[in-house]
Amino acid sequence: MTELQQSGNVITAPAVILNRARLRPPPLPKAMLERDALIQRLSASGNRLTLLTSPLGYGKTTLMAACAINMDEDWGWLRCCSADNQPAVFLQHLAALFGLLPSSPEQEQTLGTALFNALEARSRPFTLFLDDLHLLRSPGTRRLLNELIGFAAPQLRIVAASEGLPELEIAHLRRDQHLQLIGTSELSLDNTQIAQLASKRGALLDNDSIYQLRTSSEGWISGVLLALAARADNADASEYIADYLSQSLLQGLPPKIQYFLQQTAVVSGFNPELAALLSGHEQPERTLRWLTRHDLFIQPNPDDVLTHRYHPALRSACLRHLQRRDSASLRALHLQAADWLLQHRCYGEAVYQLGRGGDYNRLLAEVEQHSFDLLREGKVDSIVDFLMDLPDRDTDHLTLAITEASTVIATNDIERARHCLLLLQRLVREAQVPADRPERLFQTIAFLRSRLAVLGGNYRHGLRLTDSSMRHWPQRTAASAVLLYNRASCLLALGDLDCAEQAAHEALEQLTQFAFRGYTHNLHLLLTQIDLARGDTLQADQRLVSRLQHDPAATSNTFYDLFLNIGQALVQMQQGKFEAARQQLAQAEAAALEVVHSAALPWVLHHQACLYDAWGQPEQAIKLWDESRRLAWQYRLYGIYRIAGAWRVRLAVRQQDEPIIAQWLDEWAWCEAHYGEALHYEERLARGWVLCHQGETRTAQALAHQLQEQASAQGNQLLALQVHLLDARIARNGHQQAELYSALEQALQLSLGHRLGQLLQQEGTELRNELRQLLSPAFRRQQGLPDLPTSKQLLHPLQALLADADPQPTLIDPLTRREQDVLQRIARGQGNQQIAEGLNVSLSTVKTHINNLFRKLGAAERQQAIQIARTLNLLT
């Protein structure tokens, strides 16, 4: 007999007054955000315990209430409170959910047994929703709950919300995969959800407002709602949020904890040593563990020294309290933090603290001494932050001007960059040139001008600037390395892979010599793009994997990390791993949003659009391209504006969207008049597709011939494949069957030889019928074409297409009946544990079946397996 069943013999308490208000969920908000995917996870069977763990205000209660109200099976609700720390109170409220209220003292003594027996007697599943589980702290109540989780009838499922992980015995549930955890990252809102929530609240936000709201709130739903309320009231959102946190959280904390939070909130990141200095606590580790256990908006900080941080909303609220309490002490605290940070070489945070402390003379001195360290460590966001806070930014301070100009390499803030450029040129005219290192100033001006040329899409001009500067100022410096990077960027855009690779390697060598941690990621992305263009997907993949595995500084947790994410996504897209690529680009988007002054977002959105276009989701791709172009135009990033436009018009050609085509042609005419042949090779390829669409066959053929010559000269296999597809479309339009299959055969051989999955992406999807014919062994024998590799050696999309070409598609290695059962359940969205329970087999057996499935289908992930299975007609 368990302790819960025996509990009638050990629990003695005064009569309990039942609070029925705690036995029902709260009413749902009038304008509630639908979160169907999360509700589906709460409703899914197979988990004994589902825990939603996050700080307050992330919508846990609302999510559970929405799940409960829409459930088909039986359920009960209990909102926990401090009174439940008396086991008798907790037990009687649980018993009330089953109609087991005792009518006599004797029944009270056996209530635990009655509850257990009631669960055992049930034939239908029952879901118990427990809200505010973190309030259950007494050993007696926790013991009762552990017994309920561990030994009650299997018909019982528990879904609970808690601020922090509750102190329950759940290790065995994790071991047996009966535990589902839904944390802060999954409860946080993304851009789309913020826009939907704003719309439901009657606020139509533009995309800039959405991005800013997500950045400031980090997806915290209460922060978003309060900001929307402040917007409606024309009030300060930070005040609304600070009042909410003060009333709902801070006032209920012990005074010692409140003081600790306020003192340590002066820094954006800290460790126990710095926390002890600022707060005076002798055992800060103990306090930090307490804050973490109770999930009080404290998070790991991706920094080698400053290991902890607070959510910006909590930090802002604490600083408001501290400012009101003693503003003079607050300034002294900032300066005290700056001293410690400088001693520990945390220069980015140190200069921020000096600015907050009002010591601008010392700030400028530290910037002059440590600007190189800040840039080398990738702390560009820190530089931008303190520059924005300076009271007199537009000064004639040469070092400050050079430092701010250097931030353009990351922020792409063209307007500010132009201002810095004019300032530096004026200082040169006024003979304010440093005598000891004049090259520093002139190389900075040159890399700034050439970077603006790259971002503006003026590639020939960018090359002239870099070549001229390197002739006049050949010294190897960090600025000269950036000049080489700009040169490589221009060369790649113009299709000169060989010279671009040489310049990129030279820049990488110099930056590595100067121990730059972050900026080298840009170069690795550029080299990855060159590898992919040459069809060396394996080399591109190995480059990034090696970077992440063998270089401990590769992930510097700075703005620059998004370039590695983009690189990995491009490789995965080429391999057809669309879901994995989506996740990488989501990380890149989050990194871009963290630096509010950054204009990197249009690049991320463009690559996301390319992904969805390849994935067969054109409507989503259109939205992303339109947003990328809108932001690029706003930031004057005309280079990415034109590249995104080139991809967008290719989709417009496939959809026969004449207005978009006409708009693009106007832009093309302007660019051709200003830049001639010095246009990005992707723009010229897009022009070929438009010409084909307009029936200008000879002009399209001439352009395709030029691009094919360039591709051959530079070994650009990816461009060659796309030109072959263009040739095939031109031939199909002219009813030239022999030329059509000749062009497709060349594209097919390139795809097989270099594992270019892009054969079946974008325009390639419209030639599927011809490719099926070309993959037919009988057709190939008739045309005198060589045999293709067996389907096991093909890329998985081609394997699926080959099978689809057969009237009765089959696999070389057919699926067993049990593997077919597993496949059907995967397609329905079931997890491994659900599949195991549904088939009454072990979890390891399910994993074996899935591995066999992936091997036979040539898939690397579930989404790929489903796509291939559908193509093969294996799903019912």
Side-chain angles (χ1 to χ4, degrees), residues 189-196 198-199 203-217 219 224 228 231 589 593 601 627 630:
L189 304 183
D190 59 22
N191 290 351
T192 301
Q193 292 169 327
I194 290 175
Q196 292 172 351
S199 178
L204 296 178
L205 302 182
D206 58 32
N207 288 287
D208 291 339
S209 299
I210 293 171
Y211 296 139
Q212 291 171 9
L213 188 51
R214 180 180 173 188
T215 301
S216 61
S217 68
V224 173
L228 292 173
R231 180 187 180 92
E589 181 185 11
L593 288 168
L601 193 57
E627 179 61 10
R630 186 191 70 81

Side-chain angles (χ1 to χ4, degrees), residues 16-71:
V16 174
I17 300 176
L18 199 66
N19 184 351
R20 293 192 177 276
R22 296 205 286 126
L23 302 181
R24 58 168 175 78
L28 296 177
K30 292 181 180 179
M32 194 182 85
L33 179 68
E34 289 85 9
R35 310 192 73 177
D36 296 337
L38 284 174
I39 290 177
Q40 186 176 4
R41 289 183 61 185
L42 297 189
S43 305
S45 60
N47 296 300
R48 179 68 161 187
L49 175 63
T50 295
L51 273 176
L52 293 89
T53 61
S54 72
L56 84 163
Y58 275 90
K60 300 183 294 295
T61 301
T62 300
L63 194 62
M64 290 200 309
C67 177
I69 291 171
N70 291 287
M71 286 191 76

Side-chain angles (χ1 to χ4, degrees), residues 77-149:
W77 182 282
L78 175 58
R79 176 171 52 84
C80 303
C81 70
S82 57
D84 289 322
N85 286 305
Q86 299 179 48
V89 175
F90 180 63
L91 187 57
Q92 287 212 20
H93 280 81
L94 282 179
L97 296 175
F98 296 89
L100 298 176
L101 287 178
S103 58
S104 66
E106 291 77 15
Q107 289 183 347
E108 289 183 11
Q109 294 297 314
T110 59
L111 191 54
T113 300
L115 176 59
F116 232 79
N117 289 339
L119 289 169
E120 291 289 337
R122 292 191 61 83
S123 58
R124 288 169 51 85
F126 185 89
T127 300
L128 173 62
F129 291 92
L130 294 175
D131 197 13
D132 292 337
L133 187 62
H134 55 279
L135 297 177
L136 303 185
R137 298 191 180 98
S138 73
T141 299
R142 287 206 303 263
R143 186 164 55 248
L144 294 178
L145 190 52
N146 284 329
E147 291 291 325
L148 198 64
I149 293 171

Side-chain angles (χ1 to χ4, degrees), residues 31 133 175 261 334 365 500 866:
L133 187 62
R175 178 199 65 193
L261 288 172
H334 280 302
I866 293 170

Side-chain angles (χ1 to χ4, degrees), residues 792-848:
K792 282 187 177 181
Q793 296 172 290
L794 292 177
L795 289 173
H796 68 83
L798 293 177
Q799 174 178 305
L801 195 63
L802 177 62
D804 200 31
D806 195 315
Q808 293 182 336
T810 58
L811 288 171
I812 297 295
D813 190 358
L815 303 183
T816 66
R817 180 178 295 276
R818 183 46 59 91
E819 288 166 354
Q820 291 174 350
D821 292 340
V822 171
L823 177 62
Q824 300 291 340
R825 292 174 181 272
I826 288 175
R828 292 199 294 269
Q830 293 186 4
N832 289 2
Q833 186 63 42
Q834 291 172 286
I835 296 173
E837 293 177 353
L839 297 178
N840 197 25
V841 297
S842 69
L843 192 62
S844 62
T845 300
V846 170
K847 292 179 179 178
T848 299

Side-chain angles (χ1 to χ4, degrees), residues 375-386:
L375 291 170
R376 184 178 59 195
E377 293 297 313
K379 302 295 186 182
V380 178
D381 49 345
S382 298
I383 299 175
V384 175
D385 283 339
F386 83 73

Side-chain angles (χ1 to χ4, degrees), residues 530-733:
I530 293 173
D531 289 337
L532 291 175
R534 286 181 168 154
D536 200 341
T537 308
L538 181 60
Q539 168 65 23
D541 194 19
Q542 290 177 341
R543 176 188 304 281
L544 295 170
V545 170
S546 175
R547 179 75 176 154
L548 293 169
Q549 289 182 348
H550 300 110
D551 185 354
T555 52
S556 52
N557 298 303
T558 68
F559 165 83
Y560 294 112
D561 291 348
L562 69 87
F563 298 106
L564 292 182
N565 294 132
I566 291 174
Q568 290 176 295
L570 294 178
V571 172
Q572 290 158 347
M573 284 170 59
Q574 197 61 256
Q575 296 171 334
K577 300 176 182 178
F578 297 131
E579 175 56 29
R582 186 197 66 78
Q583 294 175 13
Q584 288 293 337
L585 289 174
Q587 293 181 42
E589 181 185 11
L593 288 168
E594 285 180 2
V595 183
V596 295
H597 310 290
S598 167
L601 193 57
W603 297 89
V604 178
L605 295 174
H606 164 64
H607 290 298
Q608 288 177 327
C610 292
L611 166 64
Y612 282 105
D613 188 23
W615 210 344
Q617 301 180 42
E619 295 306 317
Q620 182 67 13
I622 289 171
K623 291 179 183 178
L624 289 163
W625 269 320
D626 288 349
E627 179 61 10
S628 172
R629 280 165 58 81
R630 186 191 70 81
L631 288 173
W633 187 268
Q634 174 183 325
Y635 293 137
R636 301 191 181 186
L637 298 169
Y638 300 128
I640 181 60
Y641 177 86
R642 286 162 39 197
I643 293 172
W647 282 84
R648 175 70 180 89
V649 79
R650 287 169 60 178
L651 178 56
V653 166
R654 300 200 299 274
Q655 296 181 330
Q656 300 185 21
D657 189 341
E658 298 301 333
I660 293 295
I661 295 172
Q663 176 188 342
W664 185 84
L665 281 171
D666 289 341
E667 295 174 357
W668 165 268
W670 187 94
C671 292
E672 189 177 38
H674 283 77
Y675 304 124
E677 292 293 315
L679 295 171
H680 199 291
Y681 67 89
E682 289 182 347
E683 295 179 271
R684 298 172 65 207
L685 180 64
R687 173 64 170 156
W689 283 102
V690 171
L691 289 169
C692 177
H693 170 74
Q694 293 178 320
E696 298 184 31
T697 303
R698 290 187 177 180
T699 310
Q701 287 175 328
L703 180 56
H705 181 70
Q706 292 174 11
L707 289 170
Q708 196 62 261
E709 285 187 336
Q710 179 181 359
S712 299
Q714 294 295 322
N716 193 332
Q717 309 299 342
L718 194 54
L719 177 60
L721 182 145
Q722 295 183 79
V723 176
H724 287 316
L725 293 177
L726 175 58
D727 285 334
R729 174 57 64 83
I730 294 172
R732 191 171 77 171
N733 289 354

